[in-house]
Amino acid sequence: MTLIKIPTLDKDSLGQKITVSGWVENIRDHGGVIFIDLREGNEILQVVVEPQNKDIFEIAESIRNEFVITVSGEVKERPKGTVNEKMITGEIELNSSELSILSKSKPMPFQLDEYVKVGEETRLKYRYLDLRRSEMQETIKTRSKVSNEIRQFLISNDFIDIETPMMTKATPEGARDFVIPSRVNQGSFYALPQSPQLFKQLLMISGFGKYFQIVRCFRDEDTRKDRQPEFTQVDIESSFTSTEEVMTLGENLIKEIFKKALKIDLKDFPVMSYSESIERFGSDKPDLRNPLELIDVKDIFTESEFKVFSDPAKNRKSRLVALKISNSLSRSQIDDYTKFVGNYGAKGLAYIKVNDENDLKEGLQSPILKFLSEKEIASLSEKLNFSAGDTVFFGAGHKKIVNESMGALREKLGEDLHLIDKDKWAPLWIKDFPVFDEAEDGSLTPSHHPFTRTSGNLETLEKNPAMAIADAYDLVLNGYEIGGGSMRIHNSEEQRKVLSILGISKEEADEKFGFFLEALDYGCPPHGGIAFGLDRLVMLICNKNSIRDVIAFPKTQSAYCLMTDAPSNISDDELKELAIKSTLKPKD
RNA sequence: GGACCGGUAGUUCAGUUCUGGUUAGAACGCCGCCCUGUCACGGCGGAGGUCGCGGGUUCGAGCCCCGUCCGGUCCGCCA
């Protein structure tokens, strides 16, 4: 008898004498006959223990859930009427002749079956048990499959996989670095990479024209359901390439993954400019499954008496938008949404309820009606196509706040009103990002890393930075940014200029990436690339709500590992060796 | 740093506000006995609780108040 894997068993195995091992999923002890569901991976085989064989029957009686056992016997057809159609191996069973316990188990801290929902805190504490559940087994296998498809696709397109250091120098992405103290060079620190950005560009200079890596990245920022302190990127870079070429490659890669992992053929991805996306959705990562759009109504209110509308209508830096839904909401629902937009800095949420679209006097309901002229209301009704039962929300104020609050409201309403078709896939490219983001006070902050090439000429960047457009692109899927990249600057003069425009001094530039600026002087090919967030991609493919569900050992919102209790203290000796002293006062 | 939701048996929850009051319940799981064709087996019986933690109000607190810790969602942060 040889050891057989449960997943390979089927009716062809009938009559075979086999040995199988696995975990006990469930036991049904009928006193006379005992059924054991033996699990390996997420396949289950029914083992029958009959009382004639006294020795093993006694052992079988002592078996509990999640014991690891090994069983030998003959594969038999199940008696008529006892076939279980829900099981892949439901037509066969193993009639045991030998049975032994390889490892006992305490009762599980939570049930591993699908019938009781378990809180995430418990699951994360015992993640190794959580991972036994078939749902998690499936997810982790899908992730492996996706990684494998990515490798195959890129390698077959002549990309080569090159590893880059984990212990490196602080990188320029703009997030906080995780830091490793050096013992040999006391007082100095390595940083964990926020991405291999500079290394992949250096590899272009080295002449590796097509690079990729599936690589862990680290950012010491607060987490979200789609953000962990460590996450995985599919990092890609090519020399002598173009925006179009990189986008085509990225698009084909995603299409290939969907074909292989989900057997879905995605249509060509639409391309939208950043400004159009912001105009229509208030977001640079719109979920196109959501039919709601922001409608600009500035033109109606430029001359209005109602200052809340006319001020932003006249101001270049402001927006005035309407968002119409075909639902009548209660007062308390509207209050909740008002509170909701308040989180994004909106000072209020004006609304109009349409009870009768043919009577614009009595048929409308709103606290702001008394401030609006008949003409304004008529124009609104025409532009928004009022009909009975509609509710119209308004966002007015500084562009950034209106975009963020109304964009978020659009998403929330889409979710709350079930306007989103969860079975659909809505990928799109967003292009033509501004080089800078403009804050409410007019100040500029770089929106990309400083190695991104500008689409126009450098003069625009210098003279009118707020208008400068980056040669960059993001891939958005169902409202998540799953990838992004750009064409890079490939000469040191231009790079230095951009750094200075971004407000980075020559000294700082030389200290932080002098090595890179120098490298640009030794024959740098034009190059560009893209990086995908593997965790988010797999999360969407597996239809999960959080990347924690597609990471084998994730951390909590406070970046803590409930299983290992990391991070934790280190001894005084270790600290001394590293020449580090804590400034924390000991708690009493 | 901030807002909101949650923390009660091993697990998932009810009880908690409006209305504090004898012994804190259910389901699943666990333990024991019975049961020869079940498959979320069934039947009978049983054990199991610092109500996250600390303080306060009260004759009396799971419930009210204050603080704090943990988990989650979000803002800030993260191009």
Side-chain angles (χ1 to χ4, degrees):
Chain A
M1 290 188 190
T2 50
L3 189 66
I4 301 283
K5 293 284 188 188
I6 290 174
T8 66
L9 288 170
D10 56 27
K11 271 189 109 174
D12 294 339
S13 320
L14 286 176
Q16 282 181 29
K17 303 263 190 194
I18 61 164
T19 299
V20 290
S21 300
W23 284 261
V24 173
E25 170 87 5
N26 189 23
I27 313 145
R28 291 173 298 280
D29 183 347
H30 287 244
V33 61
I34 297 172
F35 299 100
I36 298 169
D37 290 338
L38 191 63
R39 184 192 70 237
E40 192 197 319
N42 42 14
E43 299 294 343
I44 290 171
L45 175 68
Q46 173 164 281
V47 173
V48 184
V49 186
E50 287 183 320
Q52 290 83 330
N53 195 340
K54 257 195 170 170
D55 296 342
I56 69 165
F57 193 78
E58 243 171 64
I59 297 170
E61 281 184 310
S62 74
I63 288 174
R64 295 293 178 267
N65 284 349
E66 301 303 321
F67 277 29
V68 180
I69 64 171
T70 184
V71 193
S72 302
E74 189 186 336
V75 180
K76 288 190 165 171
E77 201 161 2
R78 292 200 190 181
K80 266 193 182 159
T82 64
V83 168
N84 186 342
E85 280 162 16
K86 283 183 274 181
M87 291 171 69
I88 292 172
T89 60
E91 290 180 86
I92 59 172
E93 61 190 17
L94 180 64
N95 198 272
S96 60
S97 51
E98 287 172 52
L99 183 157
S100 57
I101 296 168
L102 299 177
S103 175
K104 293 185 178 181
S105 170
K106 293 201 281 190
M108 291 294 108
F110 56 93
Q111 280 162 257
L112 302 191
D113 59 45
E114 67 214 87
Y115 305 104
V116 178
K117 283 211 166 148
V118 184
E120 205 170 354
E121 207 171 341
T122 316
R123 287 174 53 206
L124 289 182
K125 178 161 185 195
Y126 297 96
R127 186 59 154 185
Y128 50 93
L129 298 178
D130 186 41
L131 290 171
R132 273 188 203 167
R133 294 164 48 241
S134 66
E135 192 181 350
M136 291 304 292
Q137 293 265 323
E138 282 302 325
T139 304
I140 298 297
K141 283 177 190 168
T142 300
R143 184 180 175 124
S144 164
K145 194 178 160 107
V146 169
S147 300
N148 186 38
E149 294 303 341
I150 291 168
R151 281 182 194 291
Q152 292 207 355
F153 176 89
L154 291 171
I155 284 171
S156 71
N157 279 281
D158 303 322
F159 283 81
I160 61 168
D161 181 0
I162 307 176
E163 291 177 85
T164 52
M166 289 288 113
M167 295 164 67
T168 181
K169 204 173 163 76
T171 38
E173 264 76 6
R176 238 173 255 121
D177 286 309
F178 279 105
V179 130
I180 312 171
S182 167
R183 177 187 55 81
V184 177
N185 304 284
Q186 287 192 339
S188 296
F189 296 82
Y190 304 95
L192 298 176
Q194 295 179 30
S195 84
Q197 183 61 34
L198 288 181
F199 286 102
K200 72 173 174 181
Q201 291 193 239
L202 289 165
L203 287 167
M204 294 303 109
I205 297 172
S206 302
F208 293 103
K210 288 178 159 194
Y211 145 94
F212 88 99
Q213 187 180 191
I214 297 180
V215 61
R216 200 66 63 83
C217 302
F218 306 86
R219 292 178 192 177
D220 187 6
E221 298 294 347
D222 288 356
T223 70
R224 289 287 186 277
K225 65 179 174 174
D226 64 345
R227 276 162 40 190
Q228 285 267 304
E230 49 180 317
F231 61 99
T232 304
Q233 270 191 359
V234 180
D235 199 40
I236 300 171
E237 195 82 3
S238 311
S239 293
F240 308 112
T241 188
S242 64
T243 307
E244 292 68 34
E245 214 173 85
V246 174
M247 286 169 69
T248 302
L249 176 84
E251 183 163 331
N252 287 339
L253 172 61
I254 299 298
K255 283 177 176 169
E256 179 77 2
I257 292 167
F258 271 73
K259 197 179 204 168
K260 291 280 167 60
L262 291 176
K263 311 231 183 312
I264 284 174
D265 284 311
L266 293 177
K267 293 198 186 110
D268 287 349
F269 302 175
V271 181
M272 191 182 288
S273 72
Y274 170 87
S275 57
E276 181 182 350
S277 180
I278 296 288
E279 283 283 313
R280 291 173 58 192
F281 310 111
S283 164
D284 62 357
K285 47 184 172 73
D287 186 347
L288 293 186
R289 298 172 305 169
N290 183 339
L292 300 177
E293 292 197 21
L294 309 182
I295 311 285
D296 193 290
V297 292
K298 262 188 169 182
D299 53 338
I300 299 176
F301 293 99
T302 41
E303 304 302 324
S304 178
E305 307 270 297
F306 187 38
K307 282 218 174 305
V308 175
F309 281 7
S310 61
D311 282 353
K314 282 184 278 200
N315 188 334
R316 189 183 61 79
K317 290 184 173 176
S318 294
R319 279 200 87 180
L320 175 59
V321 298
L323 179 61
K324 191 187 82 164
I325 55 172
S326 310
N327 301 68
S328 186
L329 300 180
S330 72
R331 185 59 205 269
S332 78
Q333 282 173 307
I334 290 172
D335 285 349
D336 286 347
Y337 289 123
T338 306
K339 218 180 274 173
F340 176 80
V341 295
N343 290 336
Y344 298 86
K347 295 200 176 66
L349 182 62
Y351 67 91
I352 297 176
K353 291 173 77 167
V354 182
N355 297 326
D356 179 357
E357 73 271 25
N358 296 316
D359 181 356
L360 295 181
K361 279 203 166 127
E362 302 299 316
L364 302 182
Q365 205 182 326
S366 166
I368 62 165
L369 279 179
K370 55 179 176 269
F371 304 114
L372 307 181
S373 73
E374 260 177 56
K375 194 179 154 216
E376 285 159 7
I377 292 171
S379 306
L380 261 186
S381 171
E382 194 184 342
K383 183 153 196 176
L384 300 173
N385 195 15
F386 280 2
S387 71
D390 287 350
T391 306
V392 182
F393 290 107
F394 296 91
H398 188 271
K399 267 185 181 175
K400 191 169 144 70
I401 287 175
V402 172
N403 287 332
E404 286 174 3
S405 60
M406 295 304 279
L409 180 64
R410 168 182 174 269
E411 280 173 36
K412 178 133 178 77
L413 287 168
E415 199 66 46
D416 291 354
L417 304 174
H418 308 292
L419 303 175
I420 295 165
D421 181 351
K422 300 280 184 185
D423 295 327
K424 261 178 138 177
W425 295 101
L428 83 153
W429 290 103
I430 303 288
K431 271 185 65 177
D432 302 335
F433 287 84
V435 175
F436 294 97
D437 289 327
E438 193 173 356
E440 198 176 353
D441 63 6
S443 68
L444 298 177
T445 51
S447 75
H448 281 74
H449 63 62
F451 309 106
T452 301
R453 225 170 56 186
T454 313
S455 286
N457 51 34
L458 271 181
E459 264 174 58
T460 318
L461 188 65
E462 254 175 311
K463 288 183 181 153
N464 196 354
M467 298 300 285
I469 300 294
D471 194 352
Y473 31 83
D474 276 2
L475 183 58
V476 175
L477 179 58
N478 293 1
Y480 287 90
E481 183 201 322
I482 60 161
S486 64
M487 290 297 120
R488 326 295 185 191
I489 295 164
H490 64 278
N491 77 70
S492 66
E493 203 181 324
E494 185 177 340
Q495 183 67 73
R496 283 191 184 277
K497 202 163 202 175
V498 168
L499 289 172
S500 82
I501 293 168
L502 292 173
I504 297 170
S505 72
K506 187 175 184 303
E507 292 69 35
E508 193 185 353
D510 281 331
E511 190 212 313
K512 280 189 173 158
F513 19 80
F515 67 99
F516 178 70
L517 293 169
E518 190 182 359
L520 288 174
D521 284 333
Y522 289 101
C524 177
H527 62 285
I530 191 164
F532 293 98
L534 183 68
D535 311 278
R536 287 180 189 171
L537 185 59
V538 176
M539 171 186 87
L540 291 167
I541 286 173
C542 292
N543 194 24
K544 300 292 180 195
N545 283 320
S546 161
I547 62 170
R548 291 187 302 275
D549 279 334
V550 301
I551 295 172
F553 298 103
K555 292 180 178 57
T556 67
Q557 187 151 56
S558 46
Y560 190 80
C561 174
L562 291 171
M563 188 182 70
T564 61
D565 284 327
S568 50
N569 290 329
I570 60 172
S571 70
D572 288 344
D573 286 347
E574 283 172 289
L575 284 174
K576 209 171 168 186
E577 213 165 33
L578 298 165
I580 288 175
K581 213 176 207 168
S582 174
T583 59
L584 276 184
K585 284 174 192 137
K587 285 176 191 164
D588 48 327

